[in-house]
Amino acid sequence: MCQPNPQEPISRPATASREDNLTYDLKNMAAYDISPLSTGTDLAAYSRDSVQLLVNKLFVLPRNKGDEGTLIALPAEEVFRLPRAKPIPKEKPKTRWDKFMEERNMKKRKRSRLVWDEIEGDWKPRWGYKSAKKSQENANWVHEVGDNENPNENPFDKARSEQRLLKARQKMREVRNKVEAAGGKLRASVPDLDAGQKRGKQGLKEAIKRAQVSSASFGKFDRVAPNEATNLQPKRKKGITPVSAGAEKENYLKAVGRVMSGDGPVDKHKAAQVGVSHDRRNDANARSRQQSKRRSKQGGQGKGGKKKGRR
Amino acid sequence: MRALTDDETRLVFEKLKKYIGTNLRQMVDRPDGIFLFRLHKERVFYMNERLLKHAGHIPKKDLLSAGVCIGKFTHSRKFRLLITALDYLARLAQYRVWLKPSGEQHFVYGNHVVKAKTRAREGLVRFWTYVCPTYSK
């Protein structure tokens, strides 16, 4: 908008040179002009008049003298309720951390993108390309074995596996938050037996459990190996206390109610498990793909013995 | 013969719900008497309370069936409906499909029911599809 020369302010009278044909919505400090314009109207002058009319209306409103100066009290109700393009977002349930923050009256603090990198002597980004984190990692190329440390243990591998553990814990917390937001409870989940990864002690126990009933007779007539645990299968509840017919009918009605309002075939705990294992598998695939890329770059000099069970 | 456990009841009802939906309540809540489910040799029977009392007199080994056999539990505790439950399913089913005679043949020989084969003029046989998240109607 071209401003008049400040040395020579052009002052026009505080009235509009046309009739008031505007619809006012003073709560939103808006005025609407729906009349059609004829070609050849001076738009600048026309809009100046419209603004003047609106300002005149605003100045008529009651004023309050407050600490911040004189304020006008805009009307409480608006004339036009502008519709929302999207529905109002649902309130998200608070995560455990949110609740903790509330309790301790903590506030969310924004971290700066740049940090001072002593090694480079410059402000570097906190993460990513040419970050301070990366330069520090490159600088720590030597690690002196401490007093309590095992000299045969690769300290870098140890640090990396610790980081991985932290990431896994964070992933678990995220999944748990999701499950709790959906209203469920994350129980200690059964380890998913994935052919591509080492299964560990928990996985071995689960594998034994599954193998024990993987025969035609459900493991009933199978020969038991020495020292094999026979009490791994979940015990089925036996012994139903006999109830009267009326009471049994009530139980049926309750069961029907539960089934009708059920969450469906989705088991929240299994879903959480699957989510975590999917992420793990994706991470493993990404890592193995990276490693195979590196090997090919070296001109195929890598050992051919290590085979990864990738699906 | 024994009553069903909570888990078993849930499995049976969930299976029935797929076919008869909200009419499941009608199976449980009947005006003409209290009807109960009983498990005998891994088969689930549906009978009147009076009939149950009579069946109690028969030794377990000699009892073949009592009431209507709705279905059976498999080795791995999955519940399968049996054809003897057809009477109840037919009466209480929520979604039904009529087939032309050609469609009927098509189905009997193992193929799925195609939309073109439905709506018989001569309602020879009556089948029904159930709406389940995995099936498309």
Side-chain angles (χ1 to χ4, degrees):
Chain A
M1 198 173 101
C2 50
Q3 294 283 342
N5 195 336
Q7 258 101 47
E8 305 164 358
I10 306 166
S11 56
R12 280 178 262 242
T15 49
S17 53
R18 69 162 206 272
E19 263 187 51
D20 184 0
N21 61 342
L22 304 172
T23 321
Y24 295 98
D25 185 359
L26 292 175
K27 180 170 187 230
N28 292 328
M29 293 207 288
Y32 302 96
D33 181 359
I34 52 171
S35 58
L37 291 174
S38 52
T39 49
T41 51
D42 182 4
L43 289 174
Y46 193 89
S47 20
R48 189 242 154 230
D49 286 338
S50 305
V51 174
Q52 184 67 64
L53 288 167
L54 174 62
V55 167
N56 291 348
K57 274 277 169 153
L58 284 174
F59 270 68
V60 166
L61 290 175
R63 303 174 200 191
N64 316 325
K65 269 218 171 109
D67 299 339
E68 297 133 354
T70 320
L71 306 167
I72 5 171
L74 292 173
E77 277 178 10
E78 48 189 355
V79 176
F80 290 125
R81 181 112 189 258
L82 294 170
R84 288 181 74 95
K86 303 249 163 75
I88 297 174
K90 271 180 268 188
E91 249 210 58
K92 274 184 248 183
K94 292 214 159 88
T95 62
R96 291 186 182 209
W97 177 247
D98 285 335
K99 288 187 197 142
F100 183 75
M101 278 183 79
E102 254 189 51
E103 258 179 66
R104 302 289 184 98
N105 288 328
M106 296 184 187
K107 284 208 185 82
K108 225 180 178 179
R109 265 183 265 162
K110 197 155 176 159
R111 284 169 139 191
S112 58
R113 174 84 200 278
L114 299 171
V115 272
W116 177 252
D117 188 2
E118 203 47 74
I119 304 158
E120 300 272 324
D122 195 7
W123 292 91
K124 291 287 176 203
R126 199 187 283 270
W127 41 266
Y129 181 66
K130 297 267 188 236
S131 60
K133 207 202 282 188
K134 284 275 163 67
S135 76
Q136 274 162 19
E137 220 185 280
N138 291 334
N140 299 339
W141 52 270
V142 71
H143 176 100
E144 283 186 19
V145 177
D147 293 328
N148 301 335
E149 281 180 8
N150 181 3
N152 297 324
E153 207 176 53
N154 185 341
F156 305 111
D157 279 351
K158 188 159 161 232
R160 207 173 296 139
S161 52
E162 275 172 13
Q163 286 294 95
R164 237 180 281 149
L165 180 64
L166 290 177
K167 275 195 215 161
R169 286 217 189 107
Q170 178 61 23
K171 207 31 93 65
M172 191 277 280
R173 273 182 234 119
E174 281 175 22
V175 170
R176 187 179 61 185
N177 277 336
K178 239 192 269 183
V179 170
E180 285 184 353
K185 271 206 201 140
L186 194 71
R187 288 199 286 248
S189 58
V190 165
D192 200 33
L193 294 182
D194 195 10
Q197 291 169 343
K198 295 205 179 120
R199 56 190 179 191
K201 205 158 87 172
Q202 290 297 322
L204 183 65
K205 203 164 181 194
E206 180 61 20
I208 294 174
K209 256 204 247 179
R210 290 191 198 179
Q212 277 181 344
V213 290
S214 305
S215 62
S217 54
F218 240 62
K220 201 161 159 191
F221 306 110
D222 294 342
R223 201 175 340 132
V224 182
N227 296 334
E228 184 182 336
T230 47
N231 59 345
L232 296 177
Q233 299 311 317
K235 252 177 81 172
R236 302 213 171 268
K237 249 192 294 177
K238 265 203 175 155
I240 307 109
T241 51
V243 289
S244 70
E248 197 174 333
K249 183 176 163 182
E250 292 300 310
N251 288 340
Y252 286 156
L253 286 170
K254 265 191 242 160
V256 169
R258 256 179 277 134
V259 163
M260 296 315 286
S261 70
D263 339 69
V266 174
D267 185 3
K268 275 184 229 115
H269 312 293
K270 264 221 170 114
Q273 246 173 272
V274 170
V276 172
S277 70
H278 263 301
D279 287 331
R280 257 191 269 144
R281 195 183 302 148
N282 287 340
D283 289 341
N285 277 345
R287 236 179 297 126
S288 56
R289 253 184 271 129
Q290 275 184 5
Q291 289 185 7
S292 62
K293 266 196 205 155
R294 260 183 257 139
R295 286 218 192 93
S296 64
K297 273 189 186 163
Q298 290 166 8
Q301 288 174 14
K303 290 190 209 159
K306 211 175 184 184
K307 284 202 183 116
K308 288 217 183 328
R310 227 183 305 152
R311 283 207 193 127
Chain B
M1 231 181 3
R2 66 163 172 87
L4 302 176
T5 62
D6 286 336
D7 275 336
E8 287 163 356
T9 330
R10 183 181 51 87
L11 285 170
V12 172
F13 284 170
E14 278 184 356
K15 193 68 177 220
L16 286 172
K17 175 185 160 193
K18 284 191 186 154
Y19 286 85
I20 62 181
T22 43
N23 291 337
L24 181 59
R25 202 164 272 277
Q26 284 184 38
M27 270 194 100
V28 174
D29 200 1
R30 284 173 70 146
D32 57 340
I34 302 177
F35 276 70
L36 307 167
F37 293 90
R38 283 288 179 275
L39 190 74
H40 178 61
K41 283 196 181 166
E42 302 307 309
R43 294 185 128 84
V44 178
F45 295 95
Y46 175 69
M47 65 193 94
N48 199 338
E49 180 202 351
R50 218 172 5 98
L51 185 60
L52 176 65
K53 287 200 183 137
H54 291 312
H57 293 296
I58 304 172
K60 231 197 269 192
K61 249 207 267 179
D62 300 334
L63 181 69
L64 271 181
S65 96
V68 173
C69 180
I70 302 251
K72 68 174 203 171
F73 278 102
T74 62
H75 226 1
S76 50
R77 306 312 280 174
K78 299 206 171 48
F79 184 67
R80 282 246 131 89
L81 282 174
L82 291 176
I83 197 170
T84 38
L86 208 52
D87 258 345
Y88 285 94
L89 293 188
R91 223 177 337 124
L92 303 171
Q94 297 223 294
Y95 302 98
R96 291 144 202 238
V97 156
W98 287 76
L99 289 180
K100 295 187 203 159
S102 57
E104 176 199 347
Q105 285 299 314
H106 204 65
F107 184 73
V108 165
Y109 282 99
N111 300 308
H112 292 295
V113 172
V114 178
K115 206 163 154 192
K117 310 276 188 194
T118 55
R119 287 238 306 252
R121 289 302 136 85
E122 318 100 50
L124 193 63
V125 187
R126 207 174 59 182
F127 289 86
W128 40 90
T129 53
Y130 62 84
V131 171
C132 186
T134 52
Y135 287 72
S136 54
K137 204 153 165 243

